[in-house]
Amino acid sequence: MIRYYRAGHILSEGGWVEGSALATQEGRIVDVISGGTPEAQTEDLGPGYLCPGFFDTHIHGYAGVDVMDADAAALRRMCRALPQTGVTRFLATTLTDSEARIEDACRAVREVAEHPGEGARVEGLFLEGPFFNPKRCGAQEAAHMRLPEIARLAQWQEAAGGRIRKIALAPELSGSESFIRAARRMGIAVALGHSDATYEQAKAAVDAGATIFVHLYNAMSGLHHREPGLVGAGLTLDDCYAELICDGQHVHAAAQQVVFSCRGTDHTVLITDCMRAGGMSDGCYTLGTEPVVVQGGAARLRNGSLAGSVLQMKDAVRAIAEGHRATWEQAIRMASRVPARSVGAADRIGCFLPGAEADFLYFTDPAHLAGAWVSGIRASF
């Protein structure tokens, strides 16, 4: 049976429309329709705003859970908690660690993806490491960083049941270009980060098939007028996507605006890079095995370095719009349609196209999320 959801404003492919309803059936989008709908099959949500659910393609944990715990039951708790942040789909994100621990995390994610429960759905995995440059380790463990190995990726992909959707590496490492081409043949999007690469090394990686820059500005070679570095590549190379953490800690508002101006909001992916302390009180936590102190909205290692975030996606979207760095519509798309497009899922995630997943959010106003639906089922807040 078709189910209809009416709202004052619905974000269609062409922008906000009024006097319409979102039609869903068996967990999928039918269409955005105008005109009357059967009263018995229609839920009138009110005069607010209905938009696609958010897709976080870079998130390590939330609500006390870390993907590297490799605990399926814990991951399901994370899934139940995420809709209150606006996230209805996500890529469970690993950290640089031992081969065995990464494989364990892949197996746990596979179990949850194959047998989903309540709340947000695990769309797959993002392997953030271990093929990074120790000079730009950030909050990741330099001791486990190594040169890229396609055989190792294939082993992890088997453990994940084919659900690795994205992997990051430092493009200056030996063997990177052949690794990128092989990963792309496996259907995996390749991202660049935790790197000391030159602009030319980054360009060679993009020419080989890399398309995403991991949390732009952070843990990478910076922009200099004689050596643009990885930041310069992320701002200028064609047909690429830049991840951005808009938590007021990682990237200055003016630097965010530079990304929107250079990259365009249609190629900027909002991520949270959230760790297990997201949704929790200030205190002591861990990111992987690293001790982290959370205070005043920032997660930091003992040496003061930022260690992921405690950002909620709805807050990133709101902050961008309130800061007039982009419209609310553009910010929503950077958290939904653009992330999906960056990993090859734009036809079924983050949009209201016929046949897409029926994941959607209802806001009474841009600051107040009142409801979230995943595959047509309303999530509990």
Side-chain angles (χ1 to χ4, degrees):
M1 182 178 71
I2 296 179
R3 185 75 180 167
Y4 301 90
Y5 299 86
R6 287 198 166 275
H9 313 266
I10 297 179
L11 187 56
S12 69
E13 289 300 292
W16 294 107
V17 295
E18 300 178 6
S20 299
L22 179 67
T24 72
Q25 186 175 33
E26 296 180 352
R28 299 280 181 171
I29 301 295
V30 175
D31 211 346
V32 176
I33 62 170
S34 58
T37 56
E39 184 177 348
Q41 297 165 231
T42 301
E43 183 175 354
D44 191 343
L45 298 173
Y49 303 83
L50 197 65
C51 70
F54 299 151
F55 181 20
D56 196 345
T57 58
H58 186 159
I59 177 171
H60 296 279
Y62 188 76
V65 178
D66 190 313
V67 173
M68 293 305 295
D69 294 340
D71 183 334
L75 273 173
R76 290 191 174 95
R77 292 199 304 272
M78 179 175 167
C79 290
R80 289 193 296 271
L82 278 175
Q84 65 187 324
T85 74
V87 171
T88 54
R89 304 260 159 182
F90 67 101
L91 294 186
T93 305
T94 61
L95 286 166
T96 296
D97 208 321
S98 68
E99 296 167 7
R101 282 181 57 81
I102 292 173
E103 184 168 330
D104 288 344
C106 288
R107 294 187 189 282
V109 170
R110 174 181 182 174
E111 180 178 339
V112 175
E114 290 180 350
H115 305 286
E118 299 176 4
R121 296 291 174 88
V122 178
E123 187 60 28
L125 280 142
F126 168 34
L127 301 189
E128 192 188 7
F131 307 132
F132 288 153
N133 189 332
K135 291 181 180 179
R136 301 282 182 170
C137 62
Q140 303 214 24
E141 289 191 59
H144 288 296
M145 292 180 180
R146 67 204 76 178
L147 296 178
E149 301 174 69
I150 199 64
R152 190 66 60 204
L153 175 59
Q155 175 185 326
W156 290 327
Q157 183 70 303
E158 182 179 1
R163 286 176 171 79
I164 298 173
R165 306 292 188 224
K166 174 179 167 186
I167 187 168
L169 80 164
E172 69 272 26
L173 299 181
S174 176
S176 291
E177 291 174 42
S178 60
F179 179 93
I180 291 167
R181 286 189 287 268
R184 295 298 295 127
R185 287 194 294 270
M186 293 169 66
I188 299 171
V190 179
L192 308 178
H194 288 273
S195 163
D196 207 35
T198 64
Y199 177 88
E200 292 303 326
Q201 289 169 328
K203 185 178 184 302
V206 169
D207 290 343
T211 55
I212 303 167
F213 289 80
V214 178
H215 43 52
L216 195 68
Y217 296 114
N218 294 281
M220 62 176 60
S221 47
L223 175 66
H224 186 276
H225 58 284
R226 285 190 291 272
E227 174 45 70
L230 203 62
V231 170
L235 291 172
T236 61
L237 291 178
D238 292 337
D239 301 319
C240 292
Y241 297 87
E243 292 183 351
L244 202 57
I245 308 170
C246 296
D247 64 347
Q249 305 285 343
H250 281 77
V251 182
H252 191 282
Q256 294 174 27
Q257 190 63 61
V258 170
V259 178
F260 301 149
S261 297
C262 293
R263 187 80 281 161
T265 58
D266 59 341
H267 281 80
T268 301
V269 176
L270 295 186
I271 62 165
T272 64
D273 197 15
C274 189
M275 46 87 71
R276 73 165 79 241
M280 310 286 281
S281 59
D282 285 358
C284 297
Y285 297 89
T286 58
L287 178 62
T289 59
E290 292 292 312
V292 175
V293 175
V294 175
Q295 187 173 14
R300 296 184 182 274
L301 300 177
R302 288 171 176 167
N303 65 9
S305 297
L306 288 167
S309 85
V310 291
L311 178 65
Q312 296 186 17
M313 189 68 84
K314 65 180 181 181
D315 294 331
V317 169
R318 177 180 52 81
I320 289 171
E322 288 182 353
H324 305 291
R325 295 184 288 283
T327 67
W328 191 42
E329 177 184 333
Q330 289 171 326
I332 289 170
R333 294 195 193 280
M334 285 190 281
S336 55
R337 188 66 182 277
V338 182
R341 193 166 64 237
S342 76
V343 294
D347 60 335
R348 61 184 189 82
I349 298 175
C351 64
F352 286 158
L353 292 174
E357 300 286 350
D359 298 349
F360 50 97
L361 309 172
Y362 177 69
F363 288 84
T364 54
D365 61 63
H368 296 95
L369 176 62
W373 288 254
V374 181
S375 294
I377 299 172
R378 187 163 190 164
S380 301
F381 282 13

